[in-house]
Amino acid sequence: MIVIACPGQGSQTPGFLHPWLEDSASRTFLGEASERIGIDLVTHGTESDAETIRDTSVAQPLIVAASLLAWRALGGRASLDAVGVAGHSVGEFAAAAAAGVLQENDALALVATRGRAMAEAAALTETGMAAVVGGTESDVLEKIAAHGLTAANRNGGGQIVAAGDLPGLAALGEDAPRGARVIPLQVAGAFHTEYMASAVPVLSEAAQSIETRDPALPLWTNADGSRVDDGARFLELLVSQIANPVRWDACMDSFQQSGITGLIELTPAGALTGIAKRGLRGVPTVAVKTPEDLDAAASLIADSATASEQ
């Protein structure tokens, strides 16, 4: 099985949508999405600087829209009927739309609400996140807890993201676990921790009017890495996940148990394929960063389909 992975916050870079918007259909899609949610995604994906697109209220809908753009483009090159999908953090909204749980418009509207609510929650206290790369998992978790921080993202492949107040993150940087590096992340708050609790009821209220369908494709949750077959339940998890850790490591374990034969990361790609090279050793990956990468992704899907028939 090929797994299509939708990236999370922090994967965006200035101008990353330039090559995608050379296609008129993609530009129309992004323009219409911008009008619906009241955020100029075209400008933010092509002209806005790093600081602007770091803003949570901008970054989250921008990333989800970009992933859906790439999903649509890939669907024009290959059959996506037999793939599985998963998203990392905010990428779960793109995954939900790809799997048919949410309509694209609803996914974008919800993620715009999520971004605003999380930005407001982040403004209450100065917080941040840092990736801890390397070391042993037990040592890393112990150090994170010792500095009053939360292991907000357990990504596998030797990467755990710590989140919490800035003094705690600074202390962790000076007291890194043995054999590990602490790398500050360009995000605006301690996501997936108790600091985001005030955003949960905001998204919960917005979600009440959203209709869901059960997923048409295998779909995994960040909550514990399990596969979710009930669309309404997946929406509930999207809401609660704001203030709970992301277990991408558990997702990758589930991918392996399901017989993963390749992983394709949608735009803005790179982070999840990097983790997969360490956590899913031997599994071929494709990072769809620009339209030029679509052929490689389509070939991986075709090769997997051929192998399954033999």
Side-chain angles (χ1 to χ4, degrees):
M1 175 189 292
I2 297 294
V3 173
I4 309 291
C6 305
Q9 196 163 339
S11 54
Q12 72 279 8
T13 55
F16 77 97
L17 282 181
H18 262 301
W20 292 95
L21 297 185
E22 293 176 7
D23 174 67
S24 60
S26 295
R27 180 173 282 274
T28 297
F29 168 75
L30 207 64
E32 291 177 347
S34 297
E35 291 181 6
R36 286 193 201 95
I37 65 175
I39 299 172
D40 191 346
L41 300 171
V42 174
T43 295
H44 290 315
T46 56
E47 300 177 16
S48 295
D49 60 19
E51 187 63 25
T52 300
I53 62 174
R54 180 174 176 264
D55 183 327
T56 302
S57 64
V58 172
Q60 293 193 7
L62 181 62
I63 290 165
V64 170
S67 291
L68 291 176
L69 198 69
W71 171 263
R72 284 168 160 241
L74 182 57
R77 308 264 184 124
S79 171
L80 302 178
D81 293 339
V83 304
V85 291
H88 186 283
S89 186
V90 73
E92 287 199 291
F93 285 79
V101 171
L102 300 176
Q103 296 292 325
E104 286 181 339
N105 291 345
D106 290 335
L108 288 166
L110 279 175
V111 83
T113 298
R114 181 187 194 263
R116 289 191 297 270
M118 291 177 72
E120 291 172 0
L124 297 175
T125 307
E126 284 193 315
T127 57
M129 305 178 82
V132 184
V133 181
T136 63
E137 182 174 293
S138 59
D139 287 346
V140 171
L141 293 174
E142 183 178 340
K143 283 285 188 181
I144 289 172
H147 291 290
L149 304 171
T150 299
N153 297 349
R154 293 175 64 173
N155 289 330
Q159 184 191 104
I160 296 175
V161 176
D165 62 42
L166 299 185
L169 290 170
L172 179 65
E174 296 174 357
D175 183 32
R178 185 167 57 182
R181 294 177 296 132
V182 178
I183 305 168
L185 299 180
Q186 294 301 306
V187 295
F191 305 140
H192 302 291
T193 71
E194 68 276 7
Y195 288 100
M196 294 293 109
S198 63
V200 173
V202 178
L203 186 60
S204 178
E205 182 177 355
Q208 290 178 8
S209 62
I210 299 299
E211 293 185 6
T212 63
R213 295 183 179 180
D214 293 341
L217 301 171
L219 176 66
W220 292 270
T221 173
N222 286 176
D224 58 9
S226 64
R227 180 172 164 178
V228 181
D229 297 319
D230 183 291
R233 174 58 180 158
F234 195 79
L235 181 56
E236 291 176 359
L237 290 168
L238 286 178
V239 173
S240 63
Q241 198 63 38
I242 292 177
N244 287 286
V246 168
R247 292 299 308 272
W248 190 250
D249 58 340
C251 286
M252 290 197 298
D253 288 344
S254 292
F255 300 161
Q256 289 182 311
Q257 293 168 13
S258 297
I260 185 174
T261 55
L263 183 139
I264 297 168
E265 183 181 4
L266 299 180
T267 306
L272 298 181
T273 48
I275 292 171
K277 288 174 182 177
R278 300 186 299 273
L280 295 170
R281 292 187 183 278
V283 174
T285 64
V286 175
V288 181
K289 297 181 178 181
T290 74
E292 293 180 355
D293 300 314
L294 290 169
D295 285 341
S299 293
L300 186 60
I301 292 171
D303 292 345
S304 178
T306 300
S308 66
E309 293 171 359
Q310 295 176 347

